[in-house]
């Protein structure tokens, strides 16, 4: 029932996706116990392909990069 501390950041932005890195810390001793990443992308269902990021989306994501 203890809250977990999570830090996240954008690691990489490409034409159609971005990579989010995150670390999860133990609520007991505050040691990092998980380090991972995931890749996210917008899917254009009618075209059956990934959507390219707009310049505005790139700029917004870049604000969160390390």
């Amino acid at each position: 029932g203890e809250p977990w501390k999570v830090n996240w950041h954008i690691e990489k932005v490409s034409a159609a996706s971005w990579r989010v890195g995150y670390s999860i810390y133990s609520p007991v001793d505050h040691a990092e116990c998980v380090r991972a990443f995931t890749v996210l992308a917008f899917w254009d269902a009618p075209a059956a392909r990934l959507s390219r990021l707009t310049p505005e989306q790139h700029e917004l994501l870049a604000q969160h990069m390390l």
Side-chain angles (χ1 to χ4, degrees), residues 1-18:
E2 297 292 325
W4 291 71
K5 178 183 174 187
V6 177
N7 286 340
W8 69 274
H9 59 278
I10 304 296
E11 294 182 342
K12 179 181 177 184
V13 178
S14 66
S17 66
W18 62 100

Side-chain angles (χ1 to χ4, degrees), residues 42-51:
F42 291 115
W43 181 253
D44 181 346
R49 64 177 173 84
L50 294 178
S51 296

Side-chain angles (χ1 to χ4, degrees), residues 11-32:
E11 294 182 342
K12 179 181 177 184
V13 178
S14 66
S17 66
W18 62 100
R19 180 173 154 156
V20 179
Y22 57 93
S23 295
I24 300 173
Y25 298 85
S26 167
V28 176
D29 63 4
H30 308 290
E32 183 181 56

